[in-house]
Amino acid sequence: MAIKDLKNYEEWLLGCRFCPMCKPAAEVANVTCLESHTTRARAMMLWRVVSGVADFTKRDAELLYQSTLDSISEAWCVSHYPVSSYMAAARALVYKKGLAPDPVRNVLEQTMLSISDTETKDAKRILLASEAYELGNEALLKPALALLEKAKVLMISSGAIFYSLGAIDEAAQQAKSVVEQIQLSGAREVVADGPVTLWAVRYVYPLLGVEFPSNIKLTSITEIFEQEGMGAIEGNADIFREKKVLYHDSRCCCHLADEPAQDAAIQPGYRGPEETMGKGEVYEAPRRIIDALGMERVFTVWTRSLSRSCGADDGLWLTYPELAERLGLKLLSQAEELGVEILVTDSLLCSEHLKRISSNGRIKVLWLPEINT
């Protein structure tokens, strides 16, 4: 695996520029109603750049960042064109040319390349907390630490936000720093605090040429919850039983899954089964926990690999917070229409973003480990 230049995606850009079929899955375009926010419009712009017809304008560069990396369009596409990969390649090119918009540069400057000041030496188990780092609040990890016996926290940028915003060299530096600190700790197990952290290590690091040590077990807080925490929540089961719940998957789960959505899932009026929207443990594990508590999971086609962003993905909540808020409010509004009482996600970033913008309080938002508290 390796990061490819944008020119390597010309074939797919040519196809996408003529195809409007993923519009129903559009995230930002479905709240702004702007054609320029669609995948097709971005592909048309990128094809013009790759073919030498035009170069990036200031607005072109801005449009590349007024979205997520857009894996929902990739999952919706019957041919599964590599939309998120060419979006990442385009951002890398824009960043390299020094054309990244001011909000993007400001976020990257403020994020900095981080080294954890937490003592992790002689740790048997480390909680790799890059979602908490992006939020800037270690206290949010309390529910996760309740599930982890004697774990030490490594609160540090995983490099995910650098990669997502096109700063590839910085992402590689941060990835190397993370691996070095884990190796120095002597830990035998690393637990990701959420899917963004897990995506960084399992998907992004190989693209950056950074190898995670094969002798160290890498798992997620969701897996730990299912394996070690279910007994502790039996006393709370009555609180959740028969509650209508919507489970939200963050964008990056698409690249941690075994399969994206099948063709049947994008047909009008489709009613399941849910597994046709994507398969893999990243989807199944949290749902098994919810089902074990007796919650009633509400059906929607906008789930698994077809999950629309809540706004917290790929740094959007930091670069264009107004757009991110509109995405989150759209998700909450749709959940309310479905009669949802609780929205659960295993992404700390998603849960905190949704809690922050949820003003009416009609839907309770929970980070999955909070079920244990």
Side-chain angles (χ1 to χ4, degrees):
M1 295 176 69
I3 295 174
K4 296 179 181 178
D5 292 332
L6 183 61
K7 62 184 179 183
N8 291 297
Y9 296 99
E10 185 171 4
E11 174 189 348
W12 292 286
L13 292 171
L14 181 63
C16 285
R17 68 180 289 231
F18 288 117
C19 180
M21 296 305 291
C22 65
K23 278 188 179 182
E27 297 170 320
V28 174
N30 274 320
V31 297
T32 65
C33 299
L34 293 175
E35 179 70 20
S36 55
H37 280 142
T38 65
T39 304
R40 181 190 181 191
R42 289 195 301 270
M44 189 180 301
M45 176 257 289
L46 293 175
W47 178 83
R48 284 167 58 82
V49 171
V50 167
S51 61
V53 173
D55 203 351
F56 292 107
T57 65
K58 182 178 180 180
R59 179 57 176 157
D60 290 340
E62 188 176 53
L63 287 169
L64 285 177
Y65 287 97
Q66 289 182 344
S67 71
T68 68
L69 287 178
D70 200 12
S71 55
I72 186 172
S73 293
E74 186 171 329
W76 182 274
C77 174
V78 293
S79 300
H80 301 303
Y81 272 25
V83 178
S84 59
S85 296
Y86 71 59
M87 281 290 291
R91 290 183 178 188
L93 180 57
V94 164
Y95 182 80
K96 186 176 181 180
K97 285 175 170 283
L99 299 174
D102 289 342
V104 173
R105 292 203 304 271
N106 292 340
V107 167
L108 291 173
E109 288 170 5
Q110 291 166 13
T111 302
M112 305 289 284
L113 295 175
S114 59
I115 298 177
S116 175
D117 58 3
T118 307
E119 178 56 59
T120 56
K121 189 176 180 181
D122 299 325
K124 293 181 180 179
R125 179 185 262 180
I126 282 178
L127 177 61
L128 180 57
S130 77
E131 291 197 29
Y133 178 86
E134 188 172 322
L135 291 162
N137 190 349
E138 187 171 348
L140 296 172
L141 296 170
K142 186 177 179 180
L145 290 171
L147 295 167
L148 301 168
E149 185 179 353
K150 298 179 181 179
K152 292 187 177 181
V153 176
L154 181 60
M155 188 164 164
I156 188 172
S157 169
S158 64
I161 195 164
F162 291 102
Y163 171 82
S164 296
L165 298 181
I168 302 303
D169 290 342
E170 291 86 342
Q173 284 180 259
Q174 191 61 67
K176 291 174 184 176
S177 177
V178 170
V179 170
E180 287 171 4
Q181 291 193 60
I182 289 171
Q183 289 176 314
L184 287 172
S185 74
R188 310 315 309 160
E189 182 180 17
V190 171
V191 180
D193 68 340
V196 177
T197 304
L198 194 65
W199 168 72
V201 179
R202 286 188 175 164
Y203 179 82
V204 177
Y205 284 17
L207 292 175
L208 299 172
V210 177
E211 185 176 351
F212 189 82
S214 59
N215 63 333
I216 298 177
K217 182 181 179 181
L218 175 65
T219 187
S220 70
I221 190 64
T222 303
E223 293 172 83
I224 296 297
F225 191 166
E226 185 178 28
Q227 294 165 9
E228 303 175 21
M230 293 301 292
I233 63 174
E234 288 180 356
N236 294 334
D238 289 341
I239 300 173
F240 300 106
R241 188 169 288 115
E242 296 183 1
K243 294 287 187 181
K244 289 189 175 182
V245 62
L246 176 67
Y247 185 79
H248 175 71
D249 304 283
S250 69
R251 183 208 65 79
C252 64
C253 292
C254 184
H255 294 297
L256 295 169
D258 297 332
E259 294 180 19
Q262 298 172 19
D263 294 355
I266 66 173
Q267 301 305 312
Y270 186 71
R271 296 299 301 169
E274 187 183 297
E275 291 75 14
T276 54
M277 271 71 87
K279 295 180 180 178
E281 274 298 290
V282 69
Y283 299 136
E284 305 304 341
R287 287 166 172 80
R288 285 196 297 267
I289 294 172
I290 288 170
D291 292 347
L293 284 168
M295 294 184 184
E296 180 188 338
R297 279 195 287 121
V298 176
F299 177 82
T300 171
V301 295
W302 305 116
T303 191
R304 299 188 180 225
S305 68
L306 298 181
S307 180
R308 285 174 169 158
S309 176
C310 71
D313 302 291
D314 304 324
L316 187 65
W317 74 281
L318 295 169
T319 53
Y320 293 97
E322 291 184 5
L323 278 178
E325 181 173 336
R326 291 176 71 178
L327 289 179
L329 290 174
K330 177 85 169 179
L331 175 63
L332 290 169
S333 174
Q334 291 174 335
E336 194 170 328
E337 290 173 5
L338 292 168
V340 168
E341 298 169 87
I342 303 173
L343 186 148
V344 180
T345 176
D346 64 351
S347 169
L348 182 58
L349 275 167
C350 291
S351 68
E352 287 302 306
H353 174 65
L354 290 170
K355 287 174 186 176
R356 190 165 47 244
I357 65 175
S358 178
S359 58
N360 59 39
R362 285 193 285 267
I363 295 178
K364 185 178 181 65
V365 178
L366 288 175
W367 181 37
L368 190 66
E370 289 179 312
I371 292 176
N372 189 47
T373 59

